[in-house]
Amino acid sequence: MTKRATSRRKFLQTSGLATGAMIVSRRLPLLGGGLDLREPESAADYTLHIKAAPIEIAPKRFVSTVIYNGQFPGPLLRFREGQPVIVDLSNDTDTPEQLHWHGQFVSTDVDGAAEEGTPFIPAHGMRRLTFTPKPAGLRFYHTHNRAGADLAAGQYSGQVGPVYIEPKENPGRYDREVFLTMKEFEPSFSQGGDMAQDFLSPRGVVKELHDSGEAAMKASLAKGMPHGFEVGYAAFTINGRMLGHGAPIRVKAGERVLFHILNGSATEIRSLALPGHVFEVVALDGNPVPNPVKVPVLWFGTAERISAIVEMKHPGVWVLGDTAGDDRRHGMGIVVEYAGQAGKPVWMAPPAFRWDYTRFAKPGAAAAAPDETFEMLIAKDNAAEEGFNRWTINGTAFPMSSGVQPAAFPLRHGKRYRIHLRNASDDIHPIHLHRHSFELTKLAGKSTAGISKDVVMLGGYQEAEIDFIADNPGLTLFHCHQQLHMDFGFMTLFDYV
């Protein structure tokens, strides 16, 4: 770990489960429990209430935040692919809100982003949405408000909930499902310190990008500017409970458990390992991978999801936790307990391992040629916005105002577009495209094909290429899912009819 990475980890340490692991039978009926509340022309399938409430993340340790339906994470919503649903959104707060259906192919008036023109859910008001859930797999919902310097707003709050869209055909090679949401609480600002990037592969950086970014930072510091603000946390949870303070995940030897895991963080990259076990990754961001592979560690950028099967064949009482010791000791973990086993939960560090998306790609395949390629150069203006870093795409920062802005990239319906991303900063960026999935076609110089996602981590001073089909017309937001980056300029818009 770099010196700067160590300093940030130290900060995370010193800046110091209301709901347990959600375990659901794979034959669970539609609408989570089989209760269809719909009445002709009136009742909704689901109602979500946005309201402030305390959550108990450990005994007598409460966090006051904004949550859905009085719980964290928000209730698991189970839809069926292609079957229309009605959802009522009630906002019991004093602030207009947005609820974004992350990873779903919906229209702009439903998507939940003001930048696309989605109407707000008014303070103490409501909106009714009717839409057809797709595609199948693990999605989620969350606020899309910009927070700026307010650490109680946006994704710093507890407004996160999982969605699982049942596929039309579900063969199921597992015995049951476990849904986990990782989330930090009690945020505070610091200056300086970066996350380690040595977990990513391929590792190569582009010299031109490196030299440009380092020169810009050196010039800024020479002018007496401090490092831009970062966010650290004092409490770390899985399903809203700190390690050791929630119900364990109880398993039986021989079971095949499908874990659906969401990184619900506003800003942080997360990892997970389970001593003595491996994860067979079957889907990334809800989309099946062409090449399921067993790995010892999972890595998640903000908003990334992984579905992985674990064969329970190492009896004991274990800690499923983050590989970062400080974060795990401050709560980022959950106990896995085999039937008939007892004792203190055990943690063991996993073997050295690098996260490489391309290992899950279709072997020997090549991506289709695009109809057009867009160039995007990402850069950081250190501490340029009252101490916060300003982020630019091709030299332009997205305006801080909440109104709809003109699209920077016009598209044509049905065409295949390639985005060539060049990162002239040392930060990792979890890049997110709304209302579409994209195919990862090149990463740090390595070509690949067949991996479909809606978020991908772009390494510091690295390049990547992603392709998407313009098949869901309207304004389409493209941004870094790190709240600080999104709020301070790292967004742009596509548009087509």
Side-chain angles (χ1 to χ4, degrees), residues 34-100:
L35 183 61
D36 187 351
L37 300 179
R38 183 183 302 179
E39 296 175 5
E41 306 301 324
S42 58
D45 297 297
Y46 289 101
T47 298
L48 294 174
H49 284 269
I50 305 167
K51 57 184 177 181
I55 57 173
E56 190 175 20
I57 61 175
K60 298 182 180 179
R61 184 169 180 176
F62 290 89
V63 172
S64 181
T65 186
V66 179
I67 50 181
Y68 297 116
N69 289 15
Q71 68 180 73
F72 183 86
L76 169 65
L77 307 184
R78 294 190 80 110
F79 301 143
R80 247 187 231 289
E81 184 181 23
Q83 182 171 312
V85 297
I86 300 173
V87 180
D88 282 347
L89 307 176
S90 292
N91 181 6
D92 302 335
T93 76
D94 297 329
T95 304
E97 267 293 349
Q98 289 283 0
L99 186 147
H100 172 44

Side-chain angles (χ1 to χ4, degrees), residues 11 50 66 117 169 194 197 200 254 260 279 387 393 409 411 439:
F11 166 73
I50 305 167
V66 179
E169 296 182 4
D194 296 317
Q197 302 194 42
L200 285 176
H260 294 296
F279 304 89
I393 297 175
F409 298 92
L411 310 178
E439 182 181 10

